[in-house]
Every structure is written in structure tokens, then in C-alpha cells.
Amino acid sequence: MVDYIRDEEEQAERIKEWWQKYGIATIIVIVLAVGALLGWRQWQEHSAGESGKASVHYETMMQALAAGNADQARGAATTLMDDYDGTAYADYARLALAKLAVDAGDLNAAADELGEVADNAATRELEYTARLRLARVQVALGDLDAANEQISRTFPEAWQGQALELKGDIASARENWDAARAAYGDALEALDEGAGRDRVQMKLDDLKSQS
């Protein structure tokens, strides 16, 4: 019984010593941990709220594009670029503005928007998309060297068919018929069935009369 009481007293003394030595630091760690957790939750809630607002503007932009309402689409795109710069939403906005510029015949403005996305895209997928569209615009502008520079990069399989088609377009514009046929043939092998493949087949068929 005496040993038991002594053990209890020793444990109490050790706890007292430990608390005097580490107690304040422990409280600080707990407070910081709780503060960090609360801050993380607040940031998540804020981020979710901002993402929700951006998605509304994005939907407005896409619906306006589908309806052919260029002014409304530009307004929504401008909001996305101003308020959500550096995000994928801003990149989608620039892609939309590029499409509107092409529709209006302003290829230089389209190239500017696409170049911005290609060089500063929020994701690699958006970069690949922007580069291929930029190359297509540059071919239309007659800037074949710039277009060739865009497609000379490495593209994943999902974009490979489009890159090969553009390679054929550049060769065809330079009247390098053999290279164009080879590129279009490779594009047909890389592309799935659909409008893109049909378009390339038509381009290849058009070259039959070229020597």
C-alpha cells in the first residue's frame, strides 16, 4: 500500500514537472493546429464559392456562343479573364474569344488570344489545344514557319492526329505534295472515326491530282 501511494506521488510529480517544462508549448501547438484546420476549411469554402461563381459565368459564355450571341459571350469571357485570371476558366474564355475573332475574320486577334493560352495555360491539356488552334490560324495567315514551330512540339496521343493533319496542311501550303500525302496518311491512322477523319480524307483525295 505504501509502495502504491509512493508510485502515485512520483507519477504526479513527474506529470507536474513535464507540464511545467512542455505545457505551454503543447498548448501553442494545439492552438496552431486548430487555427490551421479552421483556416483550411475557410479557404476551401471560399475556393468553392469562387469556383461556383466562375462556373456561372462560364455557362453563360457557352450558352451565348451556342446561341450566336457574340456580345454576351464576350462580356462573360471578359469577366472570367478579369476576375479569375490564371485559372482554367480564364483560358476557356480566351479560347472563346479566339473563336469569335475567327468568326469575325480577325485572325490576328485570334492568334493573340491563342498565344496567351499556349504560353500560360493552367493545364497541359489547354496548352495542347491552344497550340494546335494557333497553328491552324497561323496557316490561314500564311505564317507557315510559326505554325510549324507550334506542331513541332511533342503532343500526346489524343492530339497527335490533329498535329499530323496540320503538318499536312503546312506541307500542302508549301506545295510539298509528297510530304503532305504522308502526313495526311499518318493523321488518318491516328484519328478516330468522325468528322475530323473525314476532313483529312478529303484533303488527301484533293492531292490526287497533284504530282
Side-chain angles (χ1 to χ4, degrees), residues 3 45 51 90 107 131 136 146 167:
D3 291 337
E45 291 173 359
S51 179
L107 297 182
R131 288 199 184 284
R136 194 169 291 115
K167 183 178 180 181

Side-chain angles (χ1 to χ4, degrees), residues 31-165:
V31 170
L32 290 176
V34 172
L37 178 59
L38 292 174
W40 170 249
R41 287 180 177 174
Q42 289 176 348
W43 181 87
Q44 283 186 313
E45 291 173 359
H46 173 75
S47 180
E50 290 299 300
S51 179
K53 293 177 184 177
S55 68
V56 172
H57 295 299
Y58 173 78
E59 288 297 327
T60 298
M61 180 184 74
M62 297 306 294
Q63 291 173 6
L65 286 173
N69 191 332
D71 290 339
Q72 186 180 21
R74 288 192 187 94
T78 299
T79 298
L80 288 171
M81 291 188 299
D82 290 345
D83 296 348
Y84 306 96
D85 190 33
T87 71
Y89 284 112
D91 290 338
Y92 283 118
R94 289 187 172 89
L95 293 179
L97 289 179
K99 179 185 183 304
L100 291 172
V102 169
D103 292 343
D106 192 348
L107 297 182
N108 287 309
D112 289 341
E113 296 292 355
L114 293 170
E116 182 66 27
V117 179
D119 292 338
N120 303 287
T123 67
R124 296 302 296 272
E125 291 78 8
L126 281 166
E127 177 193 344
Y128 301 140
T129 298
R131 288 199 184 284
L132 291 176
R133 293 185 185 182
L134 176 57
R136 194 169 291 115
V137 168
Q138 289 168 333
V139 170
L141 285 168
D143 195 352
L144 302 181
D145 289 339
N148 188 64
E149 182 180 348
Q150 297 299 331
I151 66 164
S152 294
R153 301 166 185 267
T154 301
F155 290 92
E157 183 178 352
W159 287 266
Q160 194 62 239
Q162 296 178 60
L164 289 167
E165 178 187 358

